[in-house]
Amino acid sequence: MRDTSAKKFKLSMVEGDEKKSSSPLRRLKGRMMGKEKSIEDDGSDTVSVKGVHMRRNVSLMGGISLVGGTMIGSGIFISPKGVLRNSGSIAASLIIWVACGVISMLGAFSYSELGTLIPKSGGEYAYFLAAFSRYGKFCGPLPAYLYVWCTVMVNKPTSLAVICLAIATYSIQPFFGSCNPPLIAIKILAAVFIVLVTAWNSFSVKLATKLQNFFMVAKVLALVSIIIGGVVKLSYGSMTHLGAGFDGTTTSPSMIAIACYSGLFAYDGWNNLNFVTEEIKNPKRNLPLAIMISITLVMFCYVFTNVSYFTVLSKEEFLATDAVAVSWAKYVLGPASVVIPIAVCLSALGAANGSCFTGGRLSFAAARDSFLPSIMEMIHVEYRTPIPSLLWNAFLALIYLIIGDIYTLIDCLSFLTWAFYGLTMVSLLILRRHTVDDHRSYKVPLVIPILFLIIAVCLVFLPILHNPHLGFLYSFLFTVSGVFLYIPFVYKKVRIPKVDKITKVLQIMLSVVPTDYVKDS
């Protein structure tokens, strides 16, 4: 946390000033290029450089690739089995895939208004802070802090770890034939992927977005290949399995909700572009446009990919395999079926890249409001990337990777994710009421966020009613535990001794500076 009570004094630095002093902080300042910079040393051992901001490097195509690339990961190769098992029939499962796309679209419409009204990085965090700040100094920031607590500490790093585990598994499997590769080898390779993804996101936003564009194209081509294969099969009259229709469809609302969880897992990531609003070129135009185009593209791919699966696989065969795409490829591609593991790796790598990209931005945004240590808000003086936040996300991902089975933890927190989605819609309704005169480049019809809120409430409570277990209680207790950190460190602003010294050392080691300008006291 930042010490605002210390005496502050201003230093004026120009290019080449590092020759005048051997101070590590001055050498760090001297690395700034260009015109004169106004730099402050506030006594708390942090450096502030006026004019240092993350560049707007994310174009419309980059935004489409970021959202679509994050959504199209390993989910389309894993979720179809869960959707079919819980929905009970082929026709019902296809309807759920469409419904999940529509639900994501409703959320995206609402998020588009929030993203253009509040053009700050951090996604839901920024919206909670803006909406609830009017309800007092204690209760106002609390929802935003709890969101940060759950997302930064668990959701984002575990997501990165799981995706990299999937990449490692599919990458190493061909070298072991029919044998299962050793778990330690999978984890080591997964750790390598975590480090690689974090590294290129740390060195360059342009590199990360270009790679995301490549992964997006690669994974779309892979899905298009599956769709074309299904079209060819349909042209030969392969309608036997699709003809089963609604046979076996469940009538349980709870089972339908659980089936939607599987489908929505594959669509997850539709809100990721809102985390990087400050880096989007022309955000009032490109933010809603990128979200709409990417979700429509993904929904089309998902529905027709499932249709292709059902042209060659029966319901029983579908449920008997954990790798439905591989089983499909054996029927359609024969010896060329080896391309499927490669496609899965590329698809998941794009999801890992998008998860890493957005995960670091949330920590960065929260630290700017003193919700996290000040080192987390700093960006590299040359690369202009939030390196400390990216490294923290990678560190936690590696920890969860070592621990082992984190799928149970993700499942237990899934209902919290939708609770936060619902709370975001409440935020939109609050902001709509209290900012009626503010200019909006995009305004969603009021019925859409209300409908999405109702859907979120159903998705939160129906699975709990269907299958209550201690996992939900543990998730609730974990969220509540964030209050015990919020009270001393955020509300009371208690400072940990020596934290400024640690911040100074890390700042010099990582060559990072804050983005804000600390005014004279």
Side-chain angles (χ1 to χ4, degrees):
M1 311 300 175
R2 201 174 292 105
D3 185 3
T4 57
S5 63
K7 181 180 180 181
K8 304 176 178 70
F9 59 91
K10 185 180 292 185
L11 299 173
S12 180
M13 292 292 297
V14 295
E15 182 181 355
D17 273 354
E18 69 272 16
K19 298 178 182 178
K20 300 178 182 179
S21 173
S22 59
S23 165
L25 288 178
R26 285 180 178 267
R27 287 199 299 269
L28 172 57
K29 299 167 191 173
R31 295 182 62 184
M32 299 302 299
M33 303 299 295
K35 299 181 179 179
E36 181 176 313
K37 306 290 179 180
S38 179
I39 302 175
E40 293 188 345
D41 190 337
D42 64 1
S44 62
D45 298 316
T46 63
V47 180
S48 297
V49 182
K50 186 178 181 180
V52 181
H53 305 284
M54 291 193 291
R55 299 188 180 98
R56 292 193 181 275
N57 289 321
V58 182
S59 63
L60 174 60
M61 182 58 189
I64 294 172
S65 298
L66 178 61
V67 178
T70 304
M71 291 173 68
I72 304 177
S74 56
I76 186 58
F77 303 105
I78 298 173
S79 295
K81 179 178 178 179
V83 175
L84 178 61
R85 182 180 63 244
N86 292 296
S87 64
S89 70
I90 292 175
S93 69
L94 292 176
I95 291 175
I96 286 176
W97 279 105
V98 175
C100 289
V102 173
I103 291 172
S104 300
M105 187 71 75
L106 293 176
F109 276 120
S110 303
Y111 271 62
S112 294
E113 178 177 338
L114 286 168
T116 54
L117 180 63
I118 306 173
K120 290 184 177 181
S121 295
E124 289 92 338
Y125 161 76
Y127 311 145
F128 293 161
L129 206 58
F132 295 101
S133 60
R134 66 188 74 252
Y135 297 111
K137 293 182 178 180
F138 179 81
C139 296
L142 183 58
Y145 181 82
L146 293 180
Y147 173 77
V148 170
W149 171 245
C150 292
T151 306
V152 170
M153 296 301 296
V154 179
N155 284 3
K156 285 295 182 180
T158 52
S159 175
L160 180 60
V162 169
I163 294 170
C164 288
L165 274 172
I167 299 170
T169 301
Y170 277 93
S171 298
I172 204 171
Q173 182 65 57
F175 296 99
F176 287 85
S178 58
C179 301
N180 291 324
L183 182 59
I184 185 64
I186 294 176
K187 288 191 174 184
I188 290 174
L189 188 56
V192 171
F193 280 115
I194 290 175
V195 172
L196 286 176
V197 171
T198 303
W200 71 55
N201 273 275
S202 299
F203 291 139
S204 173
V205 173
K206 287 185 177 180
L207 175 61
T209 53
K210 285 181 179 179
L211 286 172
Q212 194 70 15
N213 293 344
F214 168 74
F215 294 137
M216 179 67 177
V217 172
K219 65 181 64 180
V220 169
L221 288 177
L223 290 180
V224 168
S225 299
I226 294 176
I227 293 171
I228 292 174
V231 171
V232 172
K233 287 292 183 179
L234 286 174
S235 67
Y236 286 106
S238 182
M239 293 286 294
T240 304
H241 308 311
L242 286 171
F246 289 95
D247 292 346
T249 302
T250 182
T251 57
S252 168
S254 298
M255 294 300 293
I256 295 295
I258 295 174
C260 286
Y261 266 133
S262 295
L264 290 167
F265 170 77
Y267 281 99
D268 193 37
W270 50 264
N271 62 326
N272 274 349
L273 198 58
N274 290 64
F275 283 83
V276 294
T277 303
E278 293 179 34
E279 296 170 79
I280 301 172
K281 297 177 180 178
N282 191 10
K284 290 187 177 182
R285 170 186 176 271
N286 289 340
L287 178 62
L289 193 57
I291 290 176
M292 303 314 155
I293 292 174
S294 58
I295 293 180
T296 302
L297 175 64
V298 170
M299 183 165 58
F300 175 87
C301 290
Y302 281 4
V303 172
F304 284 93
T305 296
N306 277 274
V307 170
S308 181
Y309 289 155
F310 289 123
T311 58
V312 297
L313 297 175
S314 66
K315 178 180 176 181
E316 293 71 25
E317 291 173 319
F318 207 99
L319 296 176
T321 180
D322 290 325
V324 60
V326 174
S327 299
W328 176 91
K330 289 179 180 178
Y331 281 100
V332 179
L333 302 180
S337 61
V338 69
V339 302
I340 292 301
I342 298 175
V344 172
C345 289
L346 289 175
S347 181
L349 198 56
N353 184 60
S355 177
C356 180
F357 191 93
T358 57
R361 270 64 182 178
L362 176 60
S363 302
F364 163 80
R368 289 193 305 188
D369 296 312
S370 299
F371 277 16
L372 293 174
S374 61
I375 187 65
M376 304 290 280
E377 72 161 309
M378 300 186 187
I379 64 176
H380 196 274
V381 295
E382 295 178 3
Y383 305 141
R384 307 294 175 88
T385 56
I387 287 182
S389 296
L390 291 169
L391 291 179
W392 177 250
N393 188 56
F395 171 75
L396 289 179
L398 291 171
I399 294 297
Y400 293 135
L401 190 66
I402 294 172
I403 291 175
D405 184 13
I406 57 178
Y407 293 97
T408 302
L409 180 60
I410 293 176
D411 290 340
C412 292
L413 287 174
S414 61
F415 84 99
L416 284 178
T417 299
W418 276 93
F420 284 124
Y421 284 161
L423 192 60
T424 304
M425 296 303 104
V426 175
S427 301
L428 176 58
L429 297 177
I430 292 173
L431 291 170
R432 179 71 71 86
R433 178 181 179 182
H434 292 283
T435 59
V436 291
D437 295 328
D438 288 8
H439 172 72
R440 287 174 171 83
S441 60
Y442 176 83
K443 190 173 183 179
V444 66
L446 188 61
V447 66
I448 291 180
I450 293 176
L451 180 59
F452 188 83
L453 175 60
I454 294 172
I455 293 171
V457 171
C458 292
L459 289 173
V460 168
F461 288 104
L462 285 179
I464 297 176
L465 295 175
H466 172 76
N467 185 26
H469 57 78
L470 289 177
F472 296 120
L473 177 62
Y474 294 151
S475 301
F476 174 76
L477 293 177
F478 175 82
T479 304
V480 172
S481 67
V483 178
F484 296 99
L485 292 175
Y486 171 81
I487 293 174
F489 297 118
V490 178
Y491 183 66
K492 296 292 186 181
K493 301 186 184 303
V494 174
R495 296 184 56 78
I496 301 176
K498 305 296 183 181
V499 69
D500 288 336
K501 297 292 183 182
I502 298 173
T503 299
K504 177 179 178 180
V505 172
L506 291 174
Q507 189 175 357
I508 295 172
M509 288 176 58
L510 299 175
S511 296
V512 294
V513 293
T515 59
D516 62 338
Y517 176 73
V518 183
K519 297 180 180 179
D520 292 332
S521 58

